[in-house]
Amino acid sequence: MQQRMDRRHFILSTAAAGCATAWAQSPRPPAIVVVGDSLSAEYGLARGSGWVALLQKKLRQEGRPERVVNASISGDTTAGGRARLPALLRQHQPAVVVIELGGNDALRGLPLESTAANLSWMTEAAQQAGARVLLVGMQVPPNYGADYTRRFANVFADVARKYRTALVPFLLQGVADGDDPRAPFQADGIHPKAEAHPRMLGNVWPVLKGLLK
């Protein structure tokens, strides 16, 4: 009797060890890490209604294996993203890094040169870690002045061109430039309402899809 019990225990232990080994060896789904600010962090929205959450739903609907890691923080700048990125790269080993930062740099009046330098550093670090990069650009209102508005928009295009990365020129295309520019936004006039986020995803998805293997 004891011999049969020992044999059964051995079989169960071996099977459990085999399952554990299989789980350990099975690769995690490729990660898409989004490093953004409040526009990606669902500021003022119900959880699951922002464009990043909608991206994960889109991937599932299309039967794709990628998992989305939303590493966005409201109020973050390119300097903050630069400081956080190395740990994110080590932890998630992403296949794609989406960088949606820069708007708060403009709101705080930070030098365009530092914004460009931080975006460049993040892009290069992600590429060196083996990830493909998507830069998501932003534009500022015309009251900033025509020259600054043009130069700010060019920062994203210039970095994308230098590092040959994918680019979404303006995340809020079709949101901030409508007939009633305040209608799609929350009371602060800065953060889009939930109903605007499918359009934001619509701006990102065609470009992002081209980066997915």
Side-chain angles (χ1 to χ4, degrees):
M1 179 68 175
Q2 181 64 40
Q3 190 175 27
R4 288 200 301 270
M5 290 294 292
D6 290 344
R7 182 181 180 188
R8 182 183 177 189
H9 177 75
F10 173 77
I11 293 173
L12 291 175
S13 299
T14 303
C19 290
T21 301
W23 290 335
Q25 291 177 348
S26 60
R28 291 191 300 173
I32 301 171
V33 173
V34 180
V35 187
D37 52 32
S38 56
L39 297 179
S40 301
E42 296 187 325
Y43 178 90
L45 304 177
R47 296 288 77 86
S49 58
W51 77 265
V52 180
L54 297 179
L55 170 61
Q56 184 67 83
K57 295 177 183 178
K58 178 74 172 177
L59 291 165
R60 292 293 173 265
Q61 290 170 357
E62 299 213 351
R64 300 199 58 95
E66 292 85 3
R67 57 191 173 92
V68 179
V69 178
N70 193 350
S72 303
I73 297 177
S74 294
D76 206 8
T77 62
T78 57
R82 174 174 177 167
R84 295 190 294 116
L85 183 61
L88 292 171
L89 294 174
R90 289 193 300 269
Q91 180 180 357
H92 301 290
Q93 301 177 5
V96 177
V97 173
V98 179
I99 302 174
E100 182 276 301
L101 290 169
N104 288 314
D105 292 39
L107 290 175
R108 299 182 186 187
L110 301 177
L112 291 177
E113 293 76 15
S114 66
T115 299
N118 290 331
L119 290 174
S120 295
W121 190 96
M122 294 177 70
T123 299
E124 188 169 357
Q127 289 179 336
Q128 289 179 351
R132 296 175 292 284
V133 177
L134 171 58
L135 286 177
V136 178
M138 185 50 56
Q139 296 180 12
V140 294
N143 61 296
Y144 278 72
D147 181 63
Y148 182 88
T149 299
R150 175 186 56 79
R151 290 168 54 220
F152 180 78
N154 285 344
V155 165
F156 302 94
D158 290 344
V159 173
R161 188 180 307 111
K162 178 179 179 181
Y163 291 96
R164 299 181 179 180
T165 70
L167 171 69
V168 174
F170 186 27
L171 177 60
L172 299 181
Q173 184 75 37
V175 177
D177 52 2
D179 295 334
D180 184 357
R182 292 192 62 86
F185 289 89
Q186 300 175 39
D188 59 14
I190 297 175
H191 298 95
K193 297 176 182 176
E195 51 264 36
H197 280 256
R199 177 56 192 263
M200 295 161 64
L201 175 60
N203 293 330
V204 174
W205 175 247
V207 184
L208 175 60
K209 187 176 183 180
L211 298 180
L212 305 179
K213 292 184 178 180

